[in-house]
Amino acid sequence: MNTMNRTKDNSNSNKLNSVFYAQSYHPIQAGSIDGTDILPHDNAVYRALLCSSAGLYDPFGDPNVIGEDPYCTLFVGRLSHLTTEDTLRKAMSKYGTVKNLRLVRHIVTGASRGYAFVEYESERDMQRAYEKAHHSVIDDSEIIVDYNRQQLMPGWIPRRLGGGLGGKKESGQLRFGGRERPFRAPLRPIPLDDLKRLGILPPPEGNYMSRFEIPSPPRRKRSYADREDKHSRSHRRSSSRDHTYDERRSVDAEGGSRKSHRHDRSHYYDEDERRSNSRDNRYDEREDSSRKSRDSHRHDRTSSSHEHERRSNSHDHRYDEKED
């Protein structure tokens, strides 16, 4: 019994730190801390629910929307009111090439409203900025970064009409489900029938995330033509790599042939030098032998001359004795 209680307590404690994010927008759900509320709790939610049910807001009909590709566009919030377009462009260019940028300003005073939209050249650059620019600092202000929910989240209602995500704690009009303030895992029974009647998506069953994980923004749906084009590009890259590999092998083979030829030539030169040295050695030996022979002959001649002189002297001596 105690083991079951401990297991239940551990699961509840783990669930306290679990979160999930909204896949589509519903005003009542966004106003709930765990996404299970079925009644609006402030006037802004009433206004957002009216706009949503009557279809009064068209995100694609907004004349202030920038960029041609929402999958390459980021929302940047909590900017300093002193931040200019040039400063923001310089800061966001660290993650990729910025194609377009709009710093939202007051229509009368022209002052910054503290948020902007940044469009990148590619979806990869946008993904990099989405992961790395969140909670970075620009002009001593910690910014937040999110994907373009205005065009990519179904049912989106902006903040000025009572929707949006975020809000200030002082006003009491908090909105949940976004990257900065996600839903918490519900700890009370979920009214599934009421959620279904209102068209609210129920919370996931067990598929929760850690608060420190990065939620993935919507991905572009690839068509058959895009997949074929990607496959052809991959095939071309593979062919190019094979061609480069073959060229490298041919160059290496040619280099090996040159090395072998150089080795053969060096071996020939070494053999020739060895033979030349052998001939020189034999010539030196013959010279030494000839020199020794001449020295020996000269010694013999000298010895013979000395012997002949000795005999002559002896003969002269005997003749002198006879004369006496």
Side-chain angles (χ1 to χ4, degrees):
M1 186 69 179
N2 293 332
T3 304
M4 293 179 60
N5 290 334
R6 282 198 299 270
T7 304
K8 188 174 181 181
D9 292 339
N10 290 333
S11 62
N12 289 335
S13 62
N14 292 333
K15 211 171 182 182
L16 284 173
N17 297 322
S18 301
V19 298
F20 67 101
Y21 300 86
Q23 301 297 322
S24 61
Y25 193 85
H26 194 282
I28 297 179
Q29 185 185 38
S32 171
I33 194 172
D34 57 1
T36 60
D37 287 5
I38 57 176
L39 297 174
H41 61 82
D42 59 49
N43 292 330
V45 173
Y46 277 112
R47 291 194 297 116
L49 190 60
L50 175 62
C51 290
S52 177
S53 59
L56 301 179
Y57 176 72
D58 180 15
F60 295 96
D62 191 343
N64 293 324
V65 173
I66 71 158
E68 301 176 355
D69 192 350
Y71 291 95
C72 297
T73 304
L74 281 180
F75 167 82
V76 183
R78 296 184 185 175
L79 289 169
S80 170
H81 292 281
L82 301 177
T83 300
T84 62
E85 285 83 356
D86 293 338
T87 304
L88 181 60
R89 182 182 295 273
K90 182 179 180 180
M92 302 304 292
S93 295
K94 295 187 297 184
Y95 312 104
T97 304
V98 176
K99 182 180 179 181
N100 201 352
L101 181 146
R102 182 172 73 94
L103 179 63
V104 180
R105 296 183 176 275
H106 195 277
I107 192 172
V108 177
T109 63
S112 171
R113 301 292 298 271
Y115 65 96
F117 295 91
V118 181
E119 182 185 8
Y120 284 92
E121 285 284 352
S122 66
E123 190 173 349
R124 180 178 298 178
D125 293 340
M126 187 278 291
Q127 295 280 347
R128 186 184 300 111
Y130 176 81
E131 294 177 2
K132 296 183 178 181
H134 192 53
H135 289 306
S136 61
V137 178
I138 301 177
D139 288 337
D140 297 330
S141 180
E142 186 177 356
I143 66 171
I144 60 172
V145 171
D146 206 346
Y147 70 88
N148 189 7
R149 295 181 182 270
Q150 183 176 11
Q151 292 181 298
L152 296 182
M153 175 173 274
W156 175 258
I157 300 296
R159 184 68 180 174
R160 67 177 184 272
L161 298 178
L165 295 172
K168 295 181 179 181
K169 296 180 180 179
E170 308 87 66
S171 64
Q173 296 181 356
L174 299 178
R175 301 292 180 265
F176 300 89
R179 183 178 184 181
E180 187 65 11
R181 191 177 286 118
F183 294 122
R184 297 181 184 177
L187 297 178
R188 62 178 183 270
I190 303 172
L192 295 177
D193 294 337
D194 294 333
L195 295 178
K196 184 177 180 180
R197 176 176 55 83
L198 294 172
I200 300 175
L201 292 176
E205 295 182 1
N207 297 325
Y208 298 104
M209 299 175 60
S210 168
R211 183 66 179 84
F212 302 102
E213 293 183 62
I214 301 176
S216 298
R219 302 281 184 172
R220 189 193 307 273
K221 294 181 180 179
R222 305 293 181 182
S223 64
Y224 179 76
D226 294 336
R227 289 195 296 270
E228 286 292 324
D229 184 55
K230 182 178 180 181
H231 177 71
S232 63
R233 289 198 301 269
S234 177
H235 180 69
R236 286 197 299 270
R237 286 196 296 268
S238 178
S239 301
S240 177
R241 286 195 298 268
D242 294 339
H243 181 67
T244 305
Y245 177 72
D246 293 337
E247 288 182 348
R248 189 179 296 114
R249 288 191 61 186
S250 64
V251 170
D252 292 341
E254 184 179 356
S257 177
R258 291 177 180 175
K259 290 180 181 179
S260 177
H261 183 62
R262 288 196 298 269
H263 177 72
D264 295 339
R265 291 179 61 187
S266 63
H267 179 71
Y268 172 76
Y269 291 144
D270 293 341
E271 184 67 21
D272 188 33
E273 185 177 0
R274 187 180 63 80
R275 290 176 181 176
S276 177
N277 293 332
S278 179
R279 287 196 300 269
D280 294 339
N281 291 332
R282 288 198 299 270
Y283 177 77
D284 293 338
E285 289 176 357
R286 287 197 299 269
E287 284 290 326
D288 293 338
S289 178
S290 177
R291 188 181 300 107
K292 289 179 180 179
S293 178
R294 288 196 300 271
D295 292 341
S296 176
H297 183 66
R298 188 180 298 109
H299 178 71
D300 293 341
R301 290 179 61 187
T302 305
S303 299
S304 177
S305 176
H306 288 317
E307 183 66 22
H308 179 71
E309 185 177 0
R310 187 180 62 79
R311 289 178 181 179
S312 177
N313 291 333
S314 175
H315 178 72
D316 292 340
H317 182 66
R318 287 197 301 268
Y319 178 75
D320 290 338
E321 287 179 353
K322 288 181 181 181
E323 286 291 327
D324 291 336

